[in-house]
Amino acid sequence: MNSKTLRINIFTSVLIAFLGVFNDAKAQKKTNNYDNEDFQILHTQITHNKDLGVTIWEIRVNGEAGKTKPKAKGQLDGAPVLGYVFPTSLKSADVGFNDVKGIVALALTSHPDFDDTPLWDEDMDGDPKNKADGLIWHPHWVVLKEDKRVAGGLSVKQFVKEDDAVILPATNPGMPMYMDSPGFPVKTIGQSIKVIVPDYRIKNKTSFSYDGVAAYMMVNTSKTNKPMLGVYKVYSIASGNLSLPYKVIQK
């Protein structure tokens, strides 16, 4: 099986999982106020500004982007995470990981129970490691894998700490997952949430496919049969079918 066929099979499997949970969520009674207009995606767009050497990633929603944030659990185990996620066709090595199978995504997240950006002081209180930083919308590179153990069908790919083959960017948060905390600026304005990514941070790859997803994730530190960070609900998908149909606009 060649690499192109493998990637198609991965995307097909993930598409089936996402559509299943998406349709289930529509059929079920809402259990919290997270499933609202703030996570109903209208449009997603990535624009490359050649003069500045950056890409601007944007998701627009029906409601107010970033207004709804998770309610604190009070502990790491079971901690809720809300995210606006850009699944892409980028490769893991493009964002600083070793070459590994999975879907490279840029996730803009909020979570009040922990801080996973120890290098960045998002609330500017002088302490870059306090939990309050986690509540402010911030970016993560992640590698997603199909995972039938969770309702959303996806989780962040994990690894064994002793595995010498694993390569992480210097800005990673120190967790045994393919996750990075790159510190890109995130801005919420009305219906839009945006993040700016310098070209050199994605190996100058400015032509790739992508999609947009709004989702609920959760941390697990106690159950061996569950992933450390899994997707449990999908609120909306920009394309409607996770086909990654969008291309970077060149300006």
Side-chain angles (χ1 to χ4, degrees):
M1 182 181 294
N2 60 40
S3 59
K4 182 177 180 181
T5 302
L6 178 61
R7 290 184 68 81
I8 291 174
N9 288 343
I10 290 174
F11 281 126
T12 301
S13 297
V14 171
L15 168 60
I16 293 171
F18 259 98
L19 288 181
V21 70
F22 182 60
N23 291 331
D24 287 347
K26 288 295 183 182
Q28 294 173 358
K29 183 178 179 181
K30 295 179 182 179
T31 57
N32 56 48
N33 64 351
Y34 300 149
D35 189 1
N36 59 43
E37 293 298 293
D38 296 347
F39 294 106
Q40 292 303 309
I41 297 176
L42 285 174
H43 175 68
T44 185
Q45 180 174 293
I46 298 178
T47 304
H48 179 232
N49 186 312
K50 184 177 180 180
D51 289 343
L52 296 178
V54 300
T55 48
I56 299 95
W57 306 46
E58 178 183 11
I59 285 177
R60 291 182 62 83
V61 297
N62 278 327
E64 186 174 342
K67 179 181 178 181
T68 299
K69 295 181 180 180
K71 296 178 181 178
K73 173 79 172 179
Q75 62 185 40
L76 182 60
D77 191 29
V81 179
L82 287 173
Y84 298 96
V85 185
F86 298 86
T88 76
S89 62
L90 290 168
K91 296 180 180 179
S92 57
D94 293 333
V95 298
F97 300 118
N98 56 294
D99 188 13
V100 64
K101 297 176 184 176
I103 299 174
V104 174
L106 184 59
L108 311 182
T109 67
S110 173
H111 42 76
D113 291 293
F114 62 100
D115 176 36
D116 53 7
T117 60
L119 295 179
W120 322 113
D121 184 15
E122 286 89 347
D123 66 355
M124 297 177 288
D125 69 344
D127 182 2
K129 298 181 180 181
N130 61 359
K131 291 190 295 184
D133 288 338
L135 187 62
I136 297 172
W137 291 97
H138 59 278
H140 290 291
W141 286 117
V142 293
V143 177
L144 299 172
K145 56 167 281 188
E146 182 184 6
D147 197 327
K148 297 179 180 179
R149 297 174 296 171
V150 290
L154 287 172
S155 68
V156 177
K157 192 176 184 72
Q158 296 174 227
F159 56 82
V160 178
K161 288 185 177 181
E162 293 76 21
D163 187 350
D164 293 335
V166 174
I167 297 174
L168 301 174
T171 48
N172 78 86
M175 301 176 179
M177 295 185 288
Y178 281 95
M179 175 186 288
D180 183 35
S181 303
F184 305 143
V186 176
K187 186 71 174 179
T188 56
I189 305 176
Q191 294 176 278
S192 176
I193 185 167
K194 298 181 181 181
V195 60
I196 296 175
V197 180
D199 291 354
Y200 74 92
R201 298 288 294 273
I202 49 176
K203 290 191 174 180
N204 292 325
K205 300 294 177 61
T206 58
S207 295
F208 53 88
S209 303
Y210 63 93
D211 213 325
V213 175
Y216 173 84
M217 296 161 275
M218 191 165 65
V219 178
N220 164 57
T221 60
S222 61
K223 298 179 178 66
T224 57
N225 63 336
K226 297 290 185 181
M228 182 173 292
L229 183 58
V231 177
Y232 286 81
K233 289 186 180 181
V234 175
Y235 299 129
S236 62
I237 305 171
S239 66
N241 57 15
L242 202 71
S243 55
L244 277 70
Y246 308 111
K247 304 294 184 181
V248 178
I249 298 170
Q250 305 293 328
K251 288 189 176 180

